[in-house]
Amino acid sequence: RLRYVEIKHGRICQLAFLGQIVTRNGIHLSGDIDYAGDSFDSFPNGWAAINGPDAIPGAGLAQIVAFIGVLELGVMKDSANGAEPGEFVGDFRNGALDFGWDTFDEETKLSK
């Protein structure tokens, strides 16, 4: 269980770091984030986007937190392709991707 949590949190940290790098370089989604006409790049980067005078509205932040909760509880499970939880630690594919692991012989599996 601890290894599963460690791998999962490591991947989340990698995505957060990548998001910081991308947005700090001025790369934002095009279009409007809401019906009021606010564009994605009208909000600040980093912590200021959550807490500050130009922060994302509370309802928008609640949607982000709810979406993460759905991913956490419904999608990112530690059971790949019907395997028992814990059998393949850190494998969050859940049948979405298949890189042919079942076609490898035992020697190749051990070298990966």
Side-chain angles (χ1 to χ4, degrees):
R1 168 103 174 115
L2 291 177
R3 180 163 178 133
Y4 157 76
V5 172
E6 180 182 3
I7 291 172
K8 190 173 188 180
H9 288 161
R11 290 177 180 170
I12 291 169
C13 290
Q14 290 172 357
L15 288 172
F17 180 76
L18 181 62
Q20 279 290 333
I21 297 296
V22 168
T23 56
R24 300 251 178 203
N25 280 320
I27 302 170
H28 299 278
L29 296 173
S30 60
D32 297 332
I33 196 170
D34 58 12
Y35 292 120
D38 297 323
S39 63
F40 284 97
D41 59 355
S42 67
F43 294 101
N45 298 325
W47 183 251
I50 296 173
N51 187 13
D54 297 327
I56 298 171
L61 189 58
Q63 287 178 1
I64 293 170
V65 171
F67 178 68
I68 292 170
V70 167
L71 288 177
E72 190 75 22
L73 297 173
V75 178
M76 296 184 73
K77 296 181 178 178
D78 186 27
S79 57
N81 303 322
E84 292 296 319
E87 188 173 349
F88 298 104
V89 176
D91 189 359
F92 300 116
R93 295 176 297 145
N94 296 315
L97 297 172
D98 184 14
F99 296 113
W101 183 259
D102 297 335
T103 61
F104 296 149
D105 60 355
E106 290 302 317
E107 183 179 343
T108 306
K109 287 181 183 179
L110 290 174
S111 70
K112 297 274 182 193

